[in-house]
Amino acid sequence: MAIDEAEGYDGPQTVHVMSARLSPSSAPPAAGHRLTPVGQATAAMTPSAASRLKAVCRATILNTMSPTRQEPLRLVDGRNLLQPATKAERTRSRFTWHPGLTPPEEIPVHQTWGWLVDPHGRVLVMLDRHGVPSLPGGRPEAGESPCETLAREAEEEVQARLSTPYPLGYQQVREHGRAPYAQLRLGALLRGLDSAAPDRDTGEKYQRVLVPARQANLLLGWGPEGDAQAHAVSRMWPSLATRPAQYVPETGLEFTEE
């Protein structure tokens, strides 16, 4: 449940109370309704309404994994004040997804991120100390290939061991006052997750979460581009048997094909 408050003459006042549950993907829509991917839905909403929906989706995913730790999510004018604004929100970045392609030479690659999938069809998502979700990845170092960048960042950030990554495409980013740049997206199967450890660059120890690919953008909140990327991952490994979302134990996980 999310409780949205706004400032009134007598202090904070509750203006929205929202709840959500995860429905099976095979459940048909109610009469007069249609199913819309969450990224498309948020793109069509006002920023405040989109922020509310993203917050509820994230809280629903995380509460589903840990029923004993459920707490109301408190928002103020649609925002969770415990979470800082993302870079996209601060810079009003615009994203264009290019599936299955590599960026042209004139567009530099600033980041490489990975959709890392376990043998049960779940994507590895990392949560920072504020609860902000992201995928493992980062900036390439001099002389690195995209696969080498992802393998290094995945080991440093989430202690992940991977199969050979496969290119999914790239995302072109436009920010005010900057030339366009590219973020590569790779997909790879997870071989194992070692014990959690602080990132050597930042000192932060990330919470690790495994989420079914079709639900990943409910947690990430990456708009239509996130919908398209999650769909590409689901198509790349369609035969994997999906298991429910879960937190990764501090001691890690080993995976075996079933």
Side-chain angles (χ1 to χ4, degrees):
M1 176 180 292
I3 302 171
D4 197 6
E5 298 176 337
E7 288 294 328
Y9 291 110
D10 299 320
Q13 299 178 0
T14 299
V15 294
H16 289 86
V17 178
M18 301 156 286
S19 63
R21 64 182 178 85
L22 297 177
S23 299
S25 59
S26 58
H33 295 75
R34 63 186 177 88
L35 296 177
T36 302
V38 67
Q40 293 182 26
T42 55
M45 293 177 171
T46 64
S48 179
S51 179
R52 292 185 182 102
L53 179 57
K54 290 179 183 179
V56 171
C57 288
R58 289 173 179 171
T60 301
I61 288 277
L62 298 177
N63 283 345
T64 299
M65 292 187 292
S66 183
T68 61
R69 296 193 304 177
Q70 293 193 30
E71 295 182 1
L73 173 68
R74 293 198 170 271
L75 310 176
V76 176
D77 290 335
R79 286 198 55 82
N80 181 358
L81 298 186
L82 297 179
Q83 293 184 353
T86 64
K87 182 179 179 182
E89 293 168 338
R90 295 194 308 270
T91 62
R92 297 186 179 180
S93 302
R94 291 178 295 150
F95 305 97
T96 306
W97 173 241
H98 298 274
L101 301 175
T102 56
E105 291 185 2
E106 63 269 19
I107 300 181
V109 174
H110 283 196
Q111 289 140 352
T112 298
W113 288 348
W115 288 79
L116 311 182
V117 185
D118 77 357
H120 312 297
R122 300 175 299 185
V123 173
L124 180 65
V125 177
M126 49 191 268
L127 306 175
D128 70 11
R129 63 183 179 277
H130 301 292
V132 176
S134 186
L135 296 179
R139 287 182 171 272
E141 295 185 351
E144 277 187 334
S145 69
C147 292
E148 291 170 336
T149 298
L150 179 58
R152 175 180 54 79
E153 290 284 354
E155 191 279 327
E156 291 177 355
E157 293 180 336
V158 289
Q159 298 71 56
R161 290 176 273 117
L162 320 176
S163 65
T164 301
Y166 182 89
L168 295 173
Y170 77 95
Q171 188 163 262
Q172 184 170 321
V173 185
R174 291 182 174 88
E175 298 176 7
H176 179 70
R178 293 187 63 178
Y181 62 89
Q183 298 173 333
L184 299 185
R185 295 289 189 270
L186 307 180
L189 283 174
L190 282 165
R191 299 305 186 200
L193 292 164
D194 295 328
S195 297
D199 186 327
R200 290 195 291 270
D201 287 338
T202 66
E204 182 164 2
K205 184 188 289 188
Y206 296 99
Q207 181 103 57
R208 299 172 294 178
V209 178
L210 291 165
V211 184
R214 62 184 173 81
Q215 296 176 357
N217 202 37
L218 293 173
L219 189 56
L220 292 167
W222 283 358
E225 297 78 18
D227 289 340
Q229 293 170 43
H231 180 66
V233 171
S234 297
R235 289 201 314 172
M236 183 175 296
W237 291 289
S239 61
L240 297 182
T242 301
R243 287 188 178 179
Q246 73 166 93
Y247 286 103
V248 176
E250 282 274 314
T251 52
L253 287 171
E254 290 293 333
F255 300 114
T256 56
E257 299 285 349
E258 295 186 355

